[in-house]
Amino acid sequence: MSQVQQVDSDSEELATAEVPMTGVWADLVGQEPTVAVLRPAAAGAAAWLAGDRSPSAMTHAWLLTGPPGSGRSNAARAFAAALQCERGGCGECSACRTAITGSHPDVTLVRTEQLSLKVDEIRELVRKSAMSPVGRRWQILVVEDADRLTEQAADALLKSLEEPAERTVWLLCAPTVEDVVPTIRSRCRLLVLRTPPTPAVAAVLQRRYDVEPAVAAFAARASQGHIGRARALATQEEVRARRQHVLAVPSGLRDLASCLTAAAQLVELAATEAKETTADLDAGEKLELERAYGVSGSGGRGARPRQLQTAQKDLEEQQKVRAKRLQRDALDRALLDLTAYYRDVLAVALGARTELVNEELRDDIEHRAASTRPEQVIRQIDAILACREAITANVAPLLAAEAMTIALWNTPG
C-alpha cells in the first residue's frame, strides 16, 4: 500500500521562482508551485507508462486539496488537458479545449449538486475507468467533490485505486485531506494548492473582466483569495449589497429581539440567493423532462404518462436537495464574511500590523476594537465557527444562526 506523498510546496517554489503560466495553466491564479509539479508530471507521463515510478513522475491517482476558490478543480482540468495534449497542455488544440470543457471522450468530469456522491454514481465511474481510452493517451476521471463521497461510494472507488488500469488516471478534489476518508487518500499523491495572493486575484479581475483597479482591489481583498467570489463581488451589485447587509449585523445586535431578527435575515438572504441561482435551472429541467416524455407544449392538457409523474417527483426531490445545499453554501459565505470582520477587530485590538480584509470599514472596526477585549472577540469568532459546524451537522439553519447572534451580542468580556 502506498502512502500519501505530499509535495513540499516551499522547496518547489524556491526551485521554480518564475513558472511560466501559459497554455492550460494560465487560469491557475497564484498557483505557480502547483504548476511546477503538474507540468513535469504531464511531460513524464510516457516515461511512467514505460515503468518509471519515481516520485516526480506521473502516478495513477492524485488528490488535489485547497481552500474554496483556490482553483483545485481548475487545476485538475488543466492537468487532464495536459495529459491528453501532444504538446503537454498548449491550450489551443482540440484535446486541450475539450478536456477543459468536459467534452473530451476520455475525460469525465464529476461534480454533484446534491449533498453527497452516491455509490451508484461511483460504480459507474469505476466501470468506465476499466475501459481503454478512445484515443491513444489516457482515461481520466475528475471527481471535483471527493469530500462528498458516502462510505459506500468510497468503498466502491477503493478497488479501482488499488488496482488501476494501466492508462487510467483519477484526479480527486477536496478542501482538505482530512475531508477524504483515509483509505482513499492513502492511495493518492497529495498536492496542496495555496490561497491565491490578493494582488494576483486583482490583476486577473482587471485583465479578464475589465474591472476598475479600485474595485478589483476591494473584491480581491474581500473575497480572501476566492476567485469566483471575487469575480461576483467585482461585477454584481446585488452580491456587494448582500455582503454589506451581512457586515452590518454586528452593529445591529442591541437586544434579544434584534438578535433573532438578524438571524432570520441572514437565513432569508441565503434562501433568496439560492432561489435566484436555481429558479431558471429548475424550470429548464422540468421543461426538458416533459419534452423527454412528449408532453411539452400541451399546456397541461391531455393525458400525462404515469411514468412522468414519478419522474417529476424524483426531479423535485433532487431540486430540493440542491436548493438546500446552495442555501447552506450561501449562509456559510455570510458566516465567513462575519468571521473576517471579527478577525479584523481582533487584529486591530492586538495592534497587529496586517492588512484588513474589510479595509473600507476601518473606522467601525477601530471603534469596536477600542471597546472590546481581545478575549471577547475570540469568543465571538468561536461562536461563528460553532454555527458553521452546526449547519454542517444538519442543525436547522435558523436555530444555529439564532444561537450565534445571541452569543455575539451576549459574549462576556
Side-chain angles (χ1 to χ4, degrees):
M1 180 189 302
S2 63
Q3 298 298 314
V4 175
Q5 304 176 58
Q6 180 168 358
V7 176
D8 186 337
S9 59
D10 292 336
S11 62
E12 291 286 356
E13 192 164 8
L14 289 172
T16 55
E18 293 294 335
V19 178
M21 304 290 278
T22 58
V24 297
W25 315 107
D27 288 340
L28 303 186
V29 180
Q31 300 300 342
E32 288 81 1
T34 296
V35 176
V37 175
L38 295 179
R39 191 197 298 271
W48 186 82
L49 283 175
D52 182 358
R53 298 295 192 268
S54 63
S56 61
M58 181 59 188
T59 188
H60 75 277
W62 296 73
L63 175 58
L64 286 75
T65 68
S70 59
R72 54 183 182 265
S73 61
N74 288 339
R77 293 182 186 218
F79 188 36
L83 288 172
Q84 301 294 11
C85 177
E86 296 286 349
R87 292 181 284 175
C90 66
E92 300 175 355
C93 66
S94 175
C96 285
R97 293 196 304 270
T98 55
I100 291 290
T101 60
S103 57
H104 193 288
D106 292 328
V107 177
T108 302
L109 304 178
V110 180
R111 183 175 188 270
T112 183
E113 293 178 335
Q114 306 301 310
L115 296 177
S116 61
L117 277 168
K118 303 296 192 299
V119 63
D120 290 342
E121 299 174 82
I122 297 303
R123 283 173 178 162
E124 177 60 25
L125 289 181
V126 169
R127 184 191 65 80
K128 187 170 185 178
S129 73
M131 298 179 179
S132 298
V134 175
R136 296 181 301 166
R137 300 181 73 83
W138 301 90
Q139 178 77 261
I140 303 174
L141 302 105
V142 181
V143 181
E144 297 186 5
D145 300 289
D147 54 310
R148 297 184 184 273
L149 289 168
T150 64
E151 183 177 350
Q152 294 84 355
D155 289 341
L157 175 59
L158 184 59
K159 185 172 179 60
S160 183
L161 296 180
E162 290 177 330
E163 302 175 6
E166 184 181 32
R167 291 183 176 271
T168 294
V169 178
W170 288 92
L171 304 178
L172 311 181
C173 305
T176 70
V177 67
E178 289 78 15
D179 292 321
V180 181
V181 297
T183 52
I184 296 297
R185 68 194 190 215
S186 67
R187 288 158 176 82
C188 299
R189 182 176 179 188
L190 176 63
L191 184 58
V192 181
L193 280 69
R194 63 182 181 179
T195 299
T198 297
V201 176
V204 168
L205 294 176
Q206 294 179 64
R207 184 175 69 252
R208 293 185 194 168
Y209 307 104
D210 197 27
V211 176
E212 292 292 329
V215 176
F218 154 76
R221 186 182 65 249
S223 68
Q224 302 178 70
H226 191 302
I227 299 172
R229 175 73 167 162
R231 181 176 66 250
L233 285 169
T235 60
Q236 300 177 36
E237 178 62 35
E238 62 272 21
V239 175
R240 294 194 291 271
R242 276 195 290 263
R243 181 175 180 274
Q244 289 175 354
H245 189 99
V246 170
L247 294 177
V249 165
S251 60
L253 302 178
R254 299 176 297 274
D255 50 31
L256 182 59
S258 63
C259 291
L260 300 180
T261 299
Q265 290 176 343
L266 284 174
V267 174
E268 181 61 28
L269 276 175
T272 300
E273 183 178 344
K275 185 176 181 180
E276 291 175 354
T277 302
T278 60
D280 291 341
L281 183 58
D282 287 353
E285 288 175 343
K286 290 178 181 178
L287 181 59
E288 187 62 32
L289 183 62
E290 290 181 351
R291 285 175 179 166
Y293 281 86
V295 298
S296 178
S298 65
R301 298 185 299 273
R304 301 171 73 84
R306 180 175 299 177
Q307 297 90 334
L308 173 60
Q309 296 178 6
T310 302
Q312 286 177 324
K313 184 176 180 180
D314 291 342
L315 177 61
E316 289 172 359
E317 289 299 320
Q318 293 173 11
Q319 291 176 340
K320 287 179 182 178
V321 172
R322 178 172 62 200
K324 179 180 178 181
R325 174 184 171 182
L326 291 176
Q327 180 181 359
R328 191 174 70 181
D329 290 347
L331 183 55
D332 191 63
R333 284 191 292 272
L335 297 178
L336 288 174
D337 286 335
L338 281 176
T339 303
Y341 173 87
Y342 284 101
R343 170 266 185 196
D344 286 347
V345 173
L346 182 62
V348 172
L350 294 175
R353 302 180 63 180
T354 182
E355 180 184 49
L356 299 185
V357 174
N358 301 282
E359 182 63 41
E360 70 280 5
L361 300 177
R362 177 173 283 276
D363 290 345
D364 174 64
I365 289 170
E366 290 180 343
H367 176 74
R368 185 172 295 275
S371 59
T372 311
R373 293 170 56 85
E375 296 87 346
Q376 182 179 3
V377 182
I378 292 174
R379 294 190 186 99
Q380 290 169 327
I381 293 174
D382 287 341
I384 301 172
L385 298 180
C387 181
R388 294 186 68 200
E389 292 179 1
I391 293 172
T392 301
N394 288 323
V395 173
L398 182 58
L399 291 178
E402 287 175 346
M404 177 194 70
T405 53
I406 292 172
L408 294 178
W409 163 63
N410 200 33
T411 300

